[in-house]
């Protein structure tokens, strides 16, 4: 008897799309002249954070699509991330960054929703130095969304620092106000 799950490839893709749409809304809300804002020395600017997010799926592609690795033993992570980190330093316009986020999101979403439950259940062994158990492809692919949410939280804080109330906060405040009005009737 197969284990029944309620969260498969289509759900990963849909939840990733929700997260990416919220990231795109933030990218759109922030004026281009604020994309160079850096909240602290040594941190990424808004633009660099958005480019970093646009690259996040590339690790998943390398492991699960291009090489379809069953082990991370021998994978040179530092060599892999070098060009990605360098791309964060490139000068890009707001429109270019949004286009990059959009294209990357669509590519990841379209690929993920084609994956089988058997593929998602496969495990990938980590190097002995990691001292961690193997991960399922499911878990590793979910981490793309989790990684983006982590950085989106940073972006929302940066929005506050430059005087913008994040869209999710504005939407939540509007819902609360509507509920409060409705409760008085």
């Amino acid at each position: 008897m197969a284990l029944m799950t309620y969260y498969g490839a289509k759900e990963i893709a849909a939840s990733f799309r929700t997260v990416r749409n919220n990231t795109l809304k933030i990218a759109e809300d922030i004026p281009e002249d604020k994309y160079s804002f850096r909240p602290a020395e040594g941190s990424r600017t808004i633009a660099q954070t958005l480019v970093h997010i646009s690259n996040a799926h590339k690790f998943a592609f390398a492991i699960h699509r291009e090489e379809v690795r069953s082990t991370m033993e021998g994978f040179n992570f530092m060599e892999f991330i070098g060009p990605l980190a360098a791309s964060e330093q490139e000068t890009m316009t707001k429109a270019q960054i949004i286009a990059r986020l959009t294209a990357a999101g669509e590519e990841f979403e379209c690929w993920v929703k084609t994956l089988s439950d058997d593929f998602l259940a496969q495990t990938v062994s980590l190097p002995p130095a990691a001292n961690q158990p193997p991960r399922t492809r499911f878990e590793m692919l979910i981490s793309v969304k989790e990684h983006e949410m982590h950085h989106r939280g940073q972006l929302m804080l940066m929005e506050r620092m430059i005087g913008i109330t994040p869209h999710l906060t504005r939407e939540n405040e509007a819902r609360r106000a509507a509920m409060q009005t409705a409760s008085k009737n």
Side-chain angles (χ1 to χ4, degrees), residues 11-179:
E11 291 78 17
I12 295 171
S15 66
F16 173 80
R17 173 51 47 205
T18 298
V19 169
R20 180 54 54 97
N21 284 343
N22 282 314
T23 300
L24 285 165
K25 181 66 177 140
I26 290 169
E28 291 163 358
D29 281 354
I30 298 172
E32 187 163 12
D33 68 341
K34 299 294 185 185
Y35 267 48
S36 61
F37 175 75
R38 182 184 311 274
E41 186 61 38
S43 65
R44 290 181 176 100
T45 66
I46 289 170
Q48 291 167 337
T49 303
L50 290 167
V51 172
H52 178 77
I53 290 170
S54 78
N55 287 332
H57 72 293
K58 292 180 180 181
F59 177 70
F61 277 177
I63 303 308
H64 307 292
R65 185 178 79 171
E66 294 157 15
E67 296 184 35
V68 191
R69 298 180 70 95
S70 61
T71 180
M72 294 304 296
E73 188 72 34
F75 183 82
N76 189 332
F77 184 74
M78 297 311 292
E79 181 179 298
F80 176 80
I81 66 167
L84 301 179
S87 73
E88 294 174 20
Q89 306 308 313
E90 296 172 16
T91 301
M92 291 181 231
T93 66
K94 176 179 175 172
Q96 289 171 318
I97 292 170
I98 290 172
R100 186 180 172 124
L101 281 163
T102 300
E106 289 171 359
E107 182 183 22
F108 185 71
E109 177 189 8
C110 288
W111 175 71
V112 166
K113 65 183 171 186
T114 69
L115 303 176
S116 70
D117 287 345
D118 288 339
F119 182 82
L120 293 174
Q122 293 173 7
T123 58
V124 178
S125 298
L126 301 177
N131 198 26
Q132 295 182 18
R135 301 276 193 247
T136 63
R137 293 190 191 283
F138 173 88
E139 183 178 10
M140 293 177 84
L141 290 169
I142 287 289
S143 72
V144 175
K145 177 182 79 167
E146 293 170 346
H147 188 86
E148 181 161 338
M149 291 173 72
H150 161 78
H151 289 296
R152 196 180 75 215
Q154 293 173 336
L155 287 166
M156 291 173 75
L157 182 57
M158 286 188 254
E159 281 184 299
R160 291 286 191 173
M161 294 173 79
I162 61 173
I164 298 172
T165 301
H167 75 282
L168 291 172
T169 302
R170 295 190 311 262
E171 291 169 6
N172 189 35
E173 289 171 349
R175 275 192 301 276
R176 283 187 187 172
M179 290 178 356

